[in-house]
Amino acid sequence: MVETYARPRFGEPREPKNRANPGSRLVGAIDFVAGSHFRAVAFLILCALVLFLPGFFNIPPIDRDEARFAQATKQMVETGDFVDIRFQDEVRYKKPVGVYWLQAAAVETASAMGLPRAPVRIWLYRVPSLIGAMGAVLLTYWAALPFVTRRGAIFAGLMLCSSVLLGAEARLAKTDAMLLLTVVAAMGALGRVYLSWQRGEDPVRPPWSSPAIFWTALAAGILLKGPLILMFVVLTIGSLAILDRSAVWFWRLRPVWGLIWMLVLVLPWFVAIFWRAGDTFFADSLGGDMLSKLGAQESHGAPPGVYLLLFWATFWPGAPLAGMAAPAVWRARREPGAQYLLAWLVPSWIVFELVLTKLPHYVLPLYPAIAILTVGALERRVLSRSWLRSGAAWWFVVPAVASVIAIVGAIMLTRQPVFLAWPFVAAALIFGLFAWWLYDDNHAERSLLNAVVAAMFLAIAIYGVVVPALTPVFPSAEIARALLTDGSGAADFLGQGSCRFALVEQRSERGFAQRAEAIGLRYNVANRIDGYNISQGRAISIAIFRSEGTE
C-alpha cells in the first residue's frame, strides 16, 4: 500500500504542521505571538525598535546625500516654499518632493512641540526613514499572509527587519526606506489580486481595498523617487502575463479609476514645479539622475553579479536560509504563489545587475519577496540537505568579521578600545555560534531566531557604541566645534584679527599657499582637523586658515 501526502502550495492558506520538538524558548515565543495579529504586529514593532534605534539619535550625518536631503529640507522649512527644492543657492531636482515633505513635517512637528533647535537635529530628518523601515516590516508581514501562515509571515517580517541593509537605511535621512514601504504595499496588494484570480474567486464584485492600496502606493512611490516603483510593477505584471498567457486579472485592480486617483495625488506638485521651473526638473531628474545611472554614475560602476555577492552580507541573517531554500523555491516556480514572488524578484534583479551604476540599496525593494519565498520553503521543511547546509556557518562568520573590523577600526582611528561595545559583541558572537551549531532542517527556525538576536546585539555594539565613537570619520562635527564656540571663544577669535577663515583640504593647501603669496595674504592656521573619508576610503586633513589681512 502506497501512502500519498498532499503538499501545501505557495499561495494556499494552510495551518502549520505539528512540530514534535519546538526547540528553544525563542520558538515558543513565536508560537505565542502568532496567536493573533495584534501580538504579531506588536512583536515586530518591538524588534524593529531594538534593531533600528541604537545610534539613531547620536550618529552624525554619514552619507553625503543624507546631509544634502536634510539641508534642502531645512531651507524648505525656513523659506516656507514647499514646491521648489533647493540646496543652498542651487536647485536640487534629482528626486521629487515626497521625502522633503515628510522630513519637513517631522521638523515642524518637533518645533511645535517645543523641541529646542529642532531644524539642526539630524535625527529628526531620519524619522521618515525610521517610519518607512518599520512600516515596510509590518507590510511584509501583511504581504506574506496570502502565501504562508501567520507564523511564517512573522518570520518573513523578522528576516527583513534584521537585515543589515534595512538597518542601515533606517538610520539615513534619504528616500529608500520610505520607497521600500510603498513598494511592499503595492506588491502586497497586487499579489492578493493575482492569487484571488488563480484560485478562481468571484470576479463580479472585486473588493476596493486592494486597488485602493495599490494605486495610492504607486502615487506615493512616484512622489518619493519618480517612476522607479513602476518598474517593479510593470516587470512583475509583464512576466506573469507571459507565463500565464493572460493578464485579465489586472482588471480586478480597476485600472481606469485607479489611474485617475493616482494622477489626482501626483499631478498637483508636478504641475506646480513645471510652472515654477519649466522642464528643468524633468531634465535633471529623469535625464541627469535616473538615465545617467545606466552608466557608471559618480564612480559607482560595477560589473553584473555584484548584487548577488553583496546579498550574503546585506540580507544577513536571512541570507543563509535563503541560499538553502533556493532549490526548493525553484522546484515550486510554477505554483501560483512562488510564481508571483519570483516575478517580483527575478526580472528587476536582472535589470539592476545589468545597469552599470550599482549601490547596495537599489535592490532593497526585492528583499521582501526573498523573505517570503524563504519562509515558504521553511514551512514545508524542504530546505536543501546538500552541501548548502554548510552555509549555516555564515550566521557566525558575519558577526565575527563585523566585530573584528569594528573594534580594530575604532582602535586604529581613535586610539580607544571602546570597551562598552565588547559585551554586546560577545553576545552577538555567542548567539551567532548557537545559530550555526544548532542548525538542522527540522529546527531551522530556532537557528534563524538565534541569528536575529545576534543581529540585535550587533546593532547595539556597532551603531550604538562604535560608530558614535569614531569622531575622525565625522570631521565636519569637529570643524563645527572648532568654529562655533561659546561667547567667550567667539570674542577671543574676533580679537585675533579679521573674522575671515577658509577650510582647505590638505591636497589643496599648496595651491592655497601659492595664491596667498601672490596676493600678499597674511594668514595662519587656526586649527587642523584630521579625519577619514568613508566614501572614498582614505584619510583626510582639513586646515582652518585665519586671515590677518594683506600686506
Side-chain angles (χ1 to χ4, degrees):
M1 180 179 177
V2 178
E3 292 182 325
T4 59
Y5 299 89
R7 275 195 351 176
R9 297 163 59 89
F10 282 90
E12 290 186 356
R14 57 192 181 275
E15 294 301 320
K17 295 181 179 180
N18 292 328
R19 296 177 304 278
N21 234 328
S24 67
R25 293 181 180 178
L26 292 174
V27 177
I30 298 297
D31 292 335
F32 171 75
V33 300
S36 71
H37 288 302
F38 176 80
R39 288 202 293 259
V41 169
F43 173 74
L44 289 173
I45 291 174
L46 178 62
C47 290
L49 291 174
V50 173
L51 285 158
F52 298 155
L53 284 186
F56 181 85
F57 298 97
N58 57 342
I59 294 178
I62 297 176
D63 186 274
R64 61 182 179 181
D65 282 341
E66 180 181 28
R68 291 169 179 172
F69 274 111
Q71 176 62 27
T73 299
K74 182 174 179 287
Q75 292 178 213
M76 186 175 284
V77 171
E78 291 172 343
T79 62
D81 184 350
F82 294 97
V83 173
D84 204 9
I85 308 168
R86 291 186 170 270
F87 177 75
Q88 296 179 352
D89 294 331
E90 299 179 357
V91 296
R92 181 171 171 80
Y93 289 162
K94 293 191 175 208
K95 302 290 186 295
V97 77
V99 73
Y100 302 102
W101 283 349
L102 295 172
Q103 292 178 352
V107 173
E108 294 276 37
T109 300
S111 298
M113 295 174 65
L115 182 67
R117 303 174 65 246
V120 295
R121 296 180 184 269
I122 186 61
W123 66 265
L124 282 173
Y125 298 88
R126 294 170 175 162
V127 168
S129 292
L130 177 65
I131 295 173
M134 295 177 66
V137 170
L138 298 181
L139 283 171
T140 297
Y141 165 78
W142 169 78
L145 289 172
F147 300 89
V148 294
T149 64
R150 183 187 299 167
R151 194 170 180 278
I154 294 172
F155 277 104
L158 273 180
M159 280 191 199
L160 182 69
C161 185
S162 57
S163 65
V164 170
L165 184 55
L166 185 59
E169 291 301 327
R171 295 172 171 86
L172 294 176
K174 302 195 304 176
T175 59
D176 299 287
M178 282 301 302
L179 176 69
L180 175 64
L181 181 150
T182 62
V183 172
V184 180
M187 300 305 290
L190 190 67
R192 277 170 159 73
V193 172
Y194 176 73
L195 290 181
S196 70
W197 173 71
Q198 284 281 4
R199 294 175 188 143
E201 295 177 4
D202 183 15
V204 176
R205 290 184 176 273
W208 276 95
S209 56
S210 291
I213 294 172
F214 177 77
W215 295 105
T216 303
L218 286 188
I222 291 171
L223 284 173
L224 283 166
K225 211 164 184 176
L228 182 61
I229 190 173
L230 299 179
M231 183 193 78
F232 302 110
V233 171
V234 170
L235 289 178
T236 301
I237 295 173
S239 300
L240 293 172
I242 293 171
L243 293 170
D244 295 327
R245 298 181 181 178
S246 174
V248 67
W249 57 273
F250 182 71
W251 290 101
R252 298 189 179 197
L253 284 166
R254 306 176 189 263
V256 175
W257 290 107
L259 281 170
I260 293 173
W261 171 241
M262 185 180 75
L263 292 175
V264 166
L265 296 176
V266 167
L267 280 183
W269 179 78
F270 282 100
V271 171
I273 195 65
F274 181 78
W275 186 268
R276 177 73 63 87
D279 62 355
T280 305
F281 169 81
F282 300 96
D284 289 356
S285 179
L286 296 177
D289 185 57
M290 182 166 291
L291 294 181
S292 66
K293 287 181 169 58
L294 297 175
Q297 186 188 45
E298 297 178 353
S299 303
H300 295 308
V306 166
Y307 286 123
L308 183 60
L309 292 176
L310 291 175
F311 169 79
W312 303 104
T314 57
F315 194 60
W316 185 90
L321 274 186
M324 288 181 272
V329 169
W330 181 249
R331 289 193 297 270
R333 64 189 181 277
R334 294 300 297 174
E335 297 177 11
Q339 181 171 280
Y340 174 79
L341 294 168
L342 288 171
W344 174 359
L345 168 64
V346 175
S348 294
W349 190 286
I350 292 173
V351 170
F352 284 129
E353 291 283 17
L354 293 177
V355 171
L356 290 180
T357 298
K358 289 182 173 63
L359 290 171
H361 60 265
Y362 286 178
V363 295
L364 181 59
L366 307 179
Y367 282 6
I370 299 175
I372 301 171
L373 283 166
T374 303
V375 170
L378 182 65
E379 286 197 330
R380 294 169 160 207
R381 303 294 190 267
V382 289
L383 296 180
S384 173
R385 296 178 181 272
S386 68
W387 59 272
L388 288 173
R389 288 187 59 184
S390 61
W394 200 240
W395 279 316
F396 175 73
V397 170
V398 168
V401 172
S403 300
V404 170
I405 292 174
I407 291 182
V408 172
I411 293 173
M412 292 177 62
L413 288 172
T414 68
R415 302 292 187 262
Q416 299 294 326
V418 287
F419 286 128
L420 183 59
W422 289 26
F424 300 107
V425 164
L429 293 175
I430 291 170
F431 279 97
L433 192 61
F434 284 166
W436 175 20
W437 280 358
L438 298 176
Y439 176 76
D440 63 63
D441 288 351
N442 293 321
H443 297 96
E445 296 171 348
R446 179 179 58 186
S447 289
L448 176 62
L449 290 173
N450 276 281
V452 169
V453 175
M456 291 178 176
F457 282 112
L458 204 59
I460 295 171
I462 293 179
Y463 291 117
V465 181
V466 174
V467 175
L470 299 179
T471 52
V473 175
F474 310 109
S476 58
E478 293 296 313
I479 291 170
R481 278 191 283 270
L483 293 176
L484 305 177
T485 62
D486 57 14
S488 175
D492 292 339
F493 180 76
L494 290 175
Q496 294 173 358
S498 301
C499 188
R500 297 175 182 272
F501 56 87
L503 279 64
V504 183
E505 207 269 334
Q506 189 174 37
R507 293 178 299 174
S508 302
E509 286 186 21
R510 182 177 179 182
F512 173 83
Q514 290 175 344
R515 179 60 180 166
E517 183 179 0
I519 64 175
L521 177 66
R522 293 181 291 117
Y523 64 90
N524 59 30
V525 179
N527 202 349
R528 181 176 291 277
I529 308 298
D530 295 321
Y532 194 82
N533 186 325
I534 58 175
S535 296
Q536 300 180 1
R538 62 177 180 83
I540 60 173
S541 180
I542 300 174
I544 303 176
F545 292 111
R546 184 177 59 242
S547 169
E548 294 185 343
T550 56
E551 296 177 351

